[in-house]
Amino acid sequence: MTSGRPDPALVARLLRQRREFGHGPLTLETLDRSQALSLAAGRGRASASEALPTTGDSTRESDDAGGPFAPPGEYDALREAALVCTRCRLAKGRTQVVFSDGSPDARVMVVGEAPGANEDRTGLPFVGRAGKLLDLLLASVSLSRRDSVYICNVLKCRPPGNRDPRSDEIEACSPWLHRQIELVEPEVILAVGTFSAQLLTGRNMALGKLRGEVYSYRGTPLVVTYHPAALLRNAGWTRSTWSDLQLLRGVLDGS
Ligand code: URA
């Protein structure tokens, strides 16, 4: 990798090597503002096929029988397959799989943590109190799930009692998310909350330390911020969240 923008071919080779050596799922880097804007403008963006093994992070992915797990590469087929997923224990307790809301053509993709009770009941992500706040936050930068945002979660099924996602559940479920991102091809990703931010940045750090920068998720600019549910508990994070959304808007506008 040279200074400045990463060379997609080198990134692809590095990813392949990491797979071969059994390293963790993601290779990411922090971008400075001009690199992020350049990615957002489509300059130097590695295509999914260049930068990725086609099955996503396949060193850690396997189907129920222990073989390689390759989620379908076509959006409707992906959704249909995910809706009947039994890859982890959460399948037993769910009412339904919560796959997404918004348009797969959206410019912005929001990735939350996991469905709660309302989402499990309705089949749509972020429909409870946290969801209402998310909608307001998005509206503050002229975005909406109806027109411009695609919303989904790291986990597609509700953890019992809304407990935190477990690492094996994230591992089992994340191939769906990686493929969703690959197919939706958002211009910018917004990860809300620790689990989503850590998974997509590949960094095991507190959210307060992660936020405030633009990352690259496989060539797509990625901004991370507090989960709206956390914001409901701690209004002190509002200013930082506002500034993260401005950062997102700036990347989207190329300014
Ligand atoms: N919290 C999330 O992270 N996702 C939802 O869909 C609802 C609440």
Side-chain angles (χ1 to χ4, degrees), residues 98 111-116 119 124-128 130-131 151-155 192 227-229:
V98 177
V111 182
E113 180 179 310
E119 290 77 20
L124 293 170
F126 281 103
V127 291
I151 304 181
C152 62
N153 286 305
V154 170
L155 293 189
V192 298
H227 194 287

Side-chain angles (χ1 to χ4, degrees), residues 82-241:
L83 293 182
V84 293
C85 176
T86 55
R87 285 174 53 76
C88 83
R89 66 179 75 79
L90 298 181
K92 288 209 173 74
R94 74 180 178 223
T95 305
Q96 57 192 315
V97 169
V98 177
F99 189 69
S100 71
D101 195 12
S103 164
D105 296 325
R107 298 178 69 195
V108 178
M109 183 158 177
V110 175
V111 182
E113 180 179 310
N118 292 310
E119 290 77 20
D120 178 66
R121 185 171 44 78
T122 59
L124 293 170
F126 281 103
V127 291
R129 272 184 80 215
K132 301 271 178 302
L133 179 55
L134 176 65
D135 287 343
L136 287 175
L137 292 168
L138 293 171
S140 76
V141 285
S142 307
L143 294 170
S144 77
R145 68 171 86 195
R146 204 188 55 195
D147 299 322
S148 42
V149 178
Y150 177 93
I151 304 181
C152 62
N153 286 305
V154 170
L155 293 189
K156 310 299 185 215
C157 298
R158 183 191 181 202
N162 296 345
R163 65 156 167 75
D164 283 349
R166 294 186 182 153
S167 55
D168 63 332
E169 293 160 358
I170 294 175
E171 193 170 318
C173 204
S174 56
W176 299 117
L177 175 64
H178 294 308
R179 188 68 98 213
Q180 262 173 311
I181 299 174
E182 197 181 319
L183 294 174
V184 171
E185 288 190 291
E187 288 172 43
V188 193
I189 302 169
L190 177 68
V192 298
T194 305
F195 288 94
S196 172
Q198 290 187 345
L199 177 70
L200 296 181
T201 63
R203 294 173 190 211
N204 195 15
M205 287 158 63
L207 190 59
K209 293 221 176 337
L210 283 175
R211 58 155 297 278
E213 291 187 52
V214 182
Y215 298 85
S216 167
Y217 170 85
R218 300 175 175 181
T220 301
L222 165 69
V223 174
V224 311
T225 196
Y226 291 106
H227 194 287
L231 214 54
L232 287 169
R233 291 192 298 270
N234 187 343
W237 289 332
T238 306
R239 189 179 287 270
S240 301
T241 306

